[in-house]
Amino acid sequence: MSNTARANILARLREPQRPECGFSERDYLSRYDWDTAERVRRFTERMVAVRAEVHHTTPETWLDVVSQVCAAKGLNNLLVSPETVLGKQLHAQAERFPTLKTYDHPIESWKQELFYGIDAAFTGTYGGIAETGTLIVMPSADEPRLMSLVPPVHIAVLEVAKLYTTFAEAVQAQGWVQAGMPTNALLISGPSKSADIEQTLAYGVHGPKELVVILV
Amino acid sequence: MATKPDTIYFFGTCLVDLMYPQAGVSAMQLIQRAGVKVIFPPAQTCCGQPAWNSGYRDEARSVARAQLALFPKPIPIVIPSGSCAGMMKVHYPELFAGQPDEAQAADVASRVYELTEFLVDVLHIELHDLGEPVTVAVHTSCSARREMGVADKIESLLGQLSNVQRVEHARKLECCGFGGTFAVKEPEISAAMVLDKVTHIRNTGVDRLISQECGCLMNIGGAMAKQGDAIPHQHIAEFLWERTGGNAA
Amino acid sequence: MSSEFRNTVRANLAKPEVRANFYRAMDGLMTRRLDQFPDKAELERLRTQSMAIRANALSKLPELLETLEANLTRNGIQVHWAETTDQANQIVLSILQKHNAKSIIKGKSMVSEEMGLNHFLEALGIEALESDLGEFIIQLDHEAPSHIIMPAIHKNRIQIAKLFHEKFPDIPYTEDVDELTQTARRILRDKFYAAPVGLSGVNFMVAETGTLCLVENEGNGRMSTTAPSVHIAVTGIEKVVESLSDVPPLLSILTRSATGQPITTYFNMISGPRKPGEKDGPEEVHLVLLDNGRSNIYSDPELLATLRCIRCGACINHCPVYVRIGGHSYGTVYPGPIGSILEPQKAGLDVHGELAQASTLCGACSEVCPVRIPIPSILNRLRYDGVRRDTANTNTVGSGKRRTLSEAATWKTWAWAATHPTIYHAGSTLATRFKGMLPTNLGAWTTVRSAPKLAESTLHQQAKNLGVDHE
Ligand code: SF4
């Protein structure tokens, strides 16, 4: 059925005379000329506007800040990859954090715990977007997709050096097409929310209710 | 054609002809007073819009074709209605695409001006208000606003009148619900729209309602009249003519 | 059909609560959209650019679909083609059967509404649970969406509170939006936990990389496409764009036009199932490409513009007809201006052609459409197709079927009179002269308006007095 359908649809689409309305050059790149400070300012402003927490830190202080955030939120545990550069640093000082959990088995073997027993997850990011206040997250074997989705709190580290002005600029500068797309790539701009009830914003619908960004 | 012409054609529209002739007369007088000769081709009837918007293109085209012949000279065609101007300017080229008189239709279209657009952009008319202080609400027709893009012209004309105070009504940009045959084909929706419009206008407490579109005036005015105690409503041409002293000015 | 539409409209116009709900919501959406585009010139530039992106994709549609299919397949996503909604439903069913699935969890998808998927599956004893909060609410009340972006917009908080209380009597009654949302979260989390198959729509498909993009705020789309071990995406064949660089501008104008957000919380780009070594994500990803009349729309160079739509809903939010009659009056999956051009073309003018009539052609829709679809022109064209005689010259389904003898005769008479000026003017002069004898009851017009008053004398007569009627 599907093959006949395919052939029929494509044949119908080939039939009409099609107008040439393509364009040869695409020029979508940012017209913004923001320096680092301005990018950080805009990113923070946008993130805070959608109720995310943003902490400005340095390579020396970020671990302290993460630890303070965990304490302030009274987290019982924190899901952290033991393999990533950042994750290793947390694991190395495990005593300063809530119980550190690792996502080292396929979801099927510990779904129950992930869905109902994990308070928060810590991940790195692939970059950020200043214009919209956005984290670029590319889940991997070390930091699987559900880490940034299922636990009620998501703590993410963003290196200021990877903060681009716009989405278009990030795609180009990071060479997304050349590198090939990962199975899943995400833009995350704040905690999960909905306005489906009377246009009133409510947070934490299906994803994290809280998003904490650690800018380094 | 932004320089002031010696002569223009005036297309009165069927609605003005039957219901609001004073608007047409005032419009022509305003133009004459500015030193421009007016020709009113007597064989004019209707731009064809009602049939066009109802899907009867052949009938619309035959009526439109009869109008094409009325404007042979290369001079502006001025129309006291955004929707009829839009019909000629925007839709004649579509209606006559591929027809033998395609070029003639395009030529006519290129010379069409909505009245307020003509007064402001071509005549650069200067107005001196001689009237008593008055408050007005302005309803701009959707075709004047979106098809012709001339919504600012009526505002700027009224802005020249020192004793006229404009009061904005809620949902000013919203359609009044006339839509030509729409009012008859979908009377319930149209009624809901016009009654809301009347409420918003009444809430301003203005002395008068002004528009550049007689269709909207007939719709809103008719609804106000049915309720009783209608706010007086006028076409912009008639209002301007009155306020600026008519021929005496 | 037409009387059904009129009856529903009448009934809905008489519900002040529903009208108030729509008014409040649409006012908010219009303001928020405007706030996103402070620079008018920039907005117009972006609209032109977005139109070009979509027009370009459509001009290469069959080629892009083949590239897309090749790249998706290479990425491990299984592509299925469906000419009709029946075929699409069957494809979904066969995937479910293969996995012995008795339920699916759904992210928001208008194409699945178009397919009538929920009813189809439920008739076979398979549960299809909506997880978008708005869709969840209306599913509880056995309703259809009244808006393509905000499906439960017709309900207010109190109505939703009562509905939750009725359906979940164990949970204490609350009108608090946060608490209502948390209730839904708890219920749906259990469902996500257990669901074997997730289903979603798609906002854009990128041919160049073989990527499916989903735009959302809640996370239901991410959940439905990540937690279950099978993900089925359903979408229309027109949703493809050529390159990844086409996506950022479209995403930006979509969210700003739709809800006045600079961006949504999640933009989810899916380019494959779980790879060896990855620990989550679906083992299988399927894409069902639905035609359902789209290729027929595609065959007409003017109507083709309909397919540029990115389903932002801005035309709906700005429509003075929609805000008054509400989404359910349309009796179609897509309401408002986009519905009024799309549905008559899909179902046929004989079925939904009246929707093309239900517009003043005010143009509020096309003024905001991010891809510059000339909605009033298309409505006009559909009115023409509905009554034209040369139906061989158009592919529109049901063309000519709205022509009635009496209406055609009226326009013929009108055209005859308006092309015979002497007779026309004799008639209008006569009418003004004997205006006292004209009826004051003009049916529909005079229910809320007085009959229009004829002038004492026509403009033609007065032009004579002015001396301008000759050169
Ligand atoms: S027609 Fe335009 S405004 Fe309406 S939903 Fe589609 S893209 Fe948005």
Side-chain angles (χ1 to χ4, degrees):
Chain A
M1 172 170 71
S2 198
N3 271 335
T4 341
R6 179 183 188 278
N8 290 346
I9 293 170
L10 287 173
R12 278 199 297 274
L13 295 180
R14 288 223 166 80
E15 215 171 288
Q17 280 273 324
R18 278 177 277 148
E20 268 298 325
C21 45
F23 34 34
S24 44
E25 267 178 53
R26 286 172 159 78
D27 173 28
Y28 310 145
L29 275 188
S30 135
R31 283 143 287 102
Y32 306 121
D33 195 11
W34 299 334
D35 62 11
T36 307
E38 182 63 7
R39 289 202 295 274
V40 168
R41 191 189 70 74
R42 299 218 176 221
F43 174 87
T44 308
E45 184 183 281
R46 287 302 330 148
M47 271 292 183
V48 170
V50 293
R51 273 220 208 160
E53 265 175 53
V54 181
H55 298 272
H56 296 191
T57 71
T58 65
E60 289 72 40
T61 62
W62 73 270
L63 266 177
D64 303 337
V65 174
V66 174
S67 144
Q68 285 154 16
V69 166
C70 292
K73 297 194 183 295
L75 301 177
N76 292 315
N77 56 42
L78 180 67
L79 185 62
V80 185
S81 166
E83 303 295 337
T84 62
V85 176
L86 299 173
K88 279 185 178 139
Q89 299 182 54
L90 262 87
H91 280 280
Q93 302 185 26
E95 67 287 352
R96 300 176 59 193
F97 298 98
T99 313
L100 295 185
K101 300 275 184 176
T102 54
Y103 197 152
D104 43 16
H105 296 97
I107 174 67
E108 288 74 14
S109 60
W110 74 299
K111 201 172 190 178
Q112 169 99 29
E113 189 182 357
L114 175 64
F115 268 62
Y116 301 101
I118 299 291
D119 284 357
F122 169 94
T123 73
T125 58
Y126 196 74
I129 300 164
E131 182 183 42
T132 48
T134 299
L135 298 173
I136 302 167
V137 175
M138 298 214 178
S140 62
D142 293 333
E143 289 182 340
R145 308 183 193 200
L146 291 172
M147 278 183 83
S148 60
L149 182 62
V150 172
V153 179
H154 177 204
I155 303 171
V157 168
L158 169 61
E159 293 158 61
V160 170
K162 291 191 208 157
L163 184 53
Y164 299 92
T165 58
T166 62
F167 181 19
E169 193 200 26
V171 168
Q172 211 206 31
Q174 297 187 324
W176 288 25
V177 176
Q178 297 78 353
M181 292 292 280
T183 50
N184 191 205
L186 299 159
L187 304 186
I188 300 179
S189 311
S192 154
K193 61 177 181 284
S194 176
D196 272 347
I197 303 180
E198 229 179 56
Q199 295 282 294
T200 307
L201 277 174
Y203 292 86
V205 191
H206 298 296
K209 191 168 185 154
E210 295 178 57
L211 174 66
V212 182
V213 181
I214 311 289
L215 267 174
V216 183
Chain B
M1 243 198 282
T3 50
K4 191 167 142 182
D6 296 331
T7 313
I8 60 119
Y9 288 119
F10 193 80
F11 185 81
T13 82
C14 54
L15 201 63
V16 169
D17 190 41
L18 269 174
M19 312 279 177
Y20 297 91
Q22 202 46 49
V25 171
S26 303
M28 290 193 279
Q29 288 176 316
L30 279 168
I31 296 169
Q32 285 178 324
R33 197 175 66 189
V36 175
K37 187 174 171 230
V38 174
I39 304 172
F40 180 92
Q44 59 180 270
T45 53
C46 169
C47 65
Q49 183 185 197
W52 164 255
N53 279 343
S54 301
Y56 286 84
R57 292 195 181 177
D58 294 338
E59 289 76 6
R61 196 181 296 109
S62 74
V63 172
R65 183 167 281 140
Q67 318 307 310
L68 286 184
L70 305 176
F71 312 107
K73 295 185 186 176
I75 55 174
I77 303 158
V78 180
I79 306 179
S81 151
S83 69
C84 306
M87 178 67 198
M88 287 196 178
K89 195 170 190 75
V90 180
H91 301 303
Y92 273 15
E94 299 167 27
L95 187 55
F96 287 94
Q99 301 285 323
D101 33 13
E102 184 175 358
Q104 193 187 4
D107 169 54
V108 165
S110 73
R111 288 186 277 131
V112 164
Y113 289 87
E114 185 273 335
L115 175 72
T116 60
E117 175 192 22
F118 183 75
L119 294 179
V120 174
D121 291 350
V122 182
L123 285 193
H124 304 292
I125 196 166
E126 284 184 21
L127 301 167
H128 301 286
D129 194 2
L130 304 172
E132 293 294 308
V134 65
T135 55
V136 301
V138 179
H139 173 73
T140 286
S141 73
C142 299
S143 26
R145 180 183 307 284
R146 304 199 176 95
E147 200 160 71
M148 295 296 291
V150 298
D152 55 326
K153 310 302 175 197
I154 189 169
E155 310 268 344
S156 98
L157 289 168
L158 290 171
Q160 289 193 41
L161 302 179
S162 48
N163 271 338
V164 174
Q165 193 199 337
R166 277 167 294 154
V167 183
E168 296 227 331
H169 55 283
R171 293 173 196 277
K172 184 179 113 155
L173 307 182
E174 198 176 71
C175 177
C176 71
F178 178 49
T181 49
F182 170 82
V184 182
K185 290 223 167 190
E186 302 292 344
E188 294 89 358
I189 309 174
S190 178
M193 291 170 76
V194 74
L195 292 178
D196 285 345
K197 182 60 81 183
V198 165
T199 304
H200 298 317
I201 292 171
R202 284 196 192 279
N203 285 345
T204 60
V206 291
D207 304 320
R208 202 167 288 214
L209 170 68
I210 305 295
S211 176
Q212 67 284 75
E213 195 75 44
C214 288
C216 306
L217 287 175
M218 184 170 83
N219 184 39
I220 304 170
M224 289 197 293
K226 179 93 176 185
Q227 293 175 343
D229 191 22
I231 299 170
H233 57 278
Q234 255 180 336
H235 188 269
I236 179 71
E238 200 180 338
F239 183 68
L240 291 181
W241 183 248
E242 250 179 49
R243 301 282 311 179
T244 56
N247 269 326
Chain C
M1 183 61 222
S2 32
S3 61
E4 196 182 313
F5 173 69
R6 288 279 295 277
N7 289 340
T8 331
V9 163
R10 219 170 283 146
N12 284 332
L13 281 171
K15 291 179 193 159
E17 194 180 14
V18 177
R19 275 177 74 180
N21 293 347
F22 276 105
Y23 253 123
R24 189 182 44 239
M26 298 305 120
D27 275 351
L29 287 163
M30 288 194 280
T31 314
R32 281 205 291 283
R33 173 187 171 275
L34 214 56
D35 290 345
Q36 284 301 316
F37 299 107
D39 180 344
K40 179 98 170 87
E42 170 73 359
L43 166 62
E44 295 313 319
R45 201 186 64 79
L46 289 174
R47 292 175 69 219
T48 302
Q49 185 186 61
S50 307
M51 172 181 76
I53 294 172
R54 292 294 300 134
N56 171 63
L58 291 176
S59 77
K60 304 172 184 164
L61 187 55
E63 293 78 20
L64 290 185
L65 285 171
E66 283 176 318
T67 310
L68 175 79
E69 183 185 41
N71 285 331
L72 286 171
T73 309
R74 195 199 56 216
N75 293 345
I77 295 178
Q78 301 173 48
V79 182
H80 312 262
W81 303 69
E83 290 186 81
T84 61
T85 54
D86 255 2
Q87 287 180 7
N89 285 328
Q90 288 298 337
I91 292 167
V92 172
L93 178 64
S94 66
I95 300 169
L96 295 181
Q97 283 170 340
K98 196 179 94 190
H99 293 274
N100 220 348
K102 287 279 168 278
S103 70
I104 59 165
I105 188 122
K106 291 178 66 196
K108 195 166 159 29
S109 156
M110 286 308 293
V111 169
S112 77
E113 298 282 345
E114 188 179 331
M115 289 158 58
L117 179 67
N118 295 5
H119 288 301
F120 171 81
L121 292 178
E122 269 150 28
L124 298 164
I126 299 172
E127 183 195 35
L129 185 73
E130 298 288 352
S131 65
D132 171 87
L133 181 57
E135 294 277 356
F136 176 74
I137 292 167
I138 58 169
Q139 190 177 37
L140 283 180
D141 218 2
H142 308 288
E143 285 186 317
S146 57
H147 189 287
I148 63 172
I149 305 285
M150 285 141 301
I153 200 85
H154 56 287
K155 286 192 184 310
N156 60 31
R157 189 166 42 98
I158 313 295
Q159 292 167 319
I160 294 167
K162 286 183 181 149
L163 177 65
F164 271 46
H165 192 59
E166 180 197 321
K167 302 289 173 177
F168 312 113
D170 297 347
I171 300 164
Y173 178 82
T174 175
E175 294 175 2
D176 182 90
V177 173
D178 271 320
E179 285 177 34
L180 290 168
T181 305
Q182 288 313 309
T183 298
R185 176 183 172 109
R186 277 192 305 276
I187 293 166
L188 288 165
R189 179 140 294 206
D190 295 346
K191 299 288 184 178
F192 280 123
Y193 175 76
V197 177
L199 186 131
S200 76
V202 178
N203 291 91
F204 314 114
M205 309 184 280
V206 186
E208 176 182 40
T209 53
T211 302
L212 309 177
C213 304
L214 275 75
V215 178
E216 58 150 346
N217 282 309
E218 295 181 4
N220 68 79
R222 285 188 66 195
M223 279 287 197
S224 317
T225 60
T226 316
S229 62
V230 178
H231 166 212
I232 306 172
V234 295
T235 197
I237 50 171
E238 81 282 15
K239 291 264 176 73
V240 67
V241 295
E242 186 171 21
S243 69
L244 191 62
S245 63
D246 290 336
V247 169
L250 281 187
L251 170 65
S252 171
I253 206 160
L254 169 63
T255 64
R256 292 200 275 172
S257 303
T259 49
Q261 292 175 274
I263 193 168
T264 50
T265 297
Y266 300 117
F267 185 59
N268 183 5
M269 292 161 271
I270 299 167
S271 306
R274 186 190 307 194
K275 272 193 192 144
E278 290 182 348
K279 302 187 186 84
D280 61 17
E283 304 280 0
E284 276 181 28
V285 179
H286 298 265
L287 172 69
V288 182
L289 288 169
L290 176 65
D291 181 344
N292 192 28
R294 288 165 175 82
S295 58
N296 192 51
I297 299 174
Y298 188 75
S299 70
D300 186 288
E302 182 184 6
L303 300 174
L304 164 75
T306 312
L307 301 177
R308 292 208 292 261
C309 177
I310 55 172
R311 305 281 190 268
C312 71
C315 56
I316 302 176
N317 303 344
H318 290 74
C319 178
V321 172
Y322 173 87
V323 75
R324 290 182 172 79
I325 68 176
H328 289 150
S329 293
Y330 292 79
T332 51
V333 171
Y334 303 91
I338 177 60
S340 299
I341 59 171
L342 186 59
E343 299 284 4
Q345 294 188 70
K346 283 199 314 200
L349 292 166
D350 42 342
V351 183
H352 287 312
E354 189 176 7
L355 297 184
Q357 218 52 260
S359 164
T360 64
L361 308 177
C362 77
C365 47
S366 50
E367 188 178 34
V368 296
C369 176
V371 288
R372 294 191 186 277
I373 300 176
I375 296 172
S377 304
I378 295 178
L379 290 170
N380 182 294
R381 163 65 192 279
L382 294 176
R383 292 179 184 185
Y384 170 48
D385 281 353
V387 299
R388 71 197 276 180
R389 275 167 307 176
D390 62 333
T391 51
N393 294 331
T394 176
N395 289 339
T396 311
V397 186
S399 59
K401 293 245 170 81
R402 303 196 70 79
R403 190 179 180 91
T404 62
L405 278 180
S406 61
E407 199 182 64
T410 307
W411 286 113
K412 269 212 155 44
T413 314
W414 168 85
W416 184 84
T419 45
H420 293 78
T422 326
I423 293 161
Y424 183 90
H425 295 129
S428 45
T429 306
L430 220 67
T432 51
R433 200 150 296 161
F434 294 100
K435 62 179 191 160
M437 292 164 67
L438 290 175
T440 50
N441 180 354
L442 299 178
W445 177 267
T446 40
T447 35
V448 300
R449 304 172 194 83
S450 303
K453 287 200 187 66
L454 292 184
E456 299 297 329
S457 62
T458 65
L459 180 63
H460 275 81
Q461 295 166 271
Q462 300 193 36
K464 252 187 215 135
N465 305 338
L466 266 184
V468 293
D469 64 335
H470 51 82
E471 297 185 25

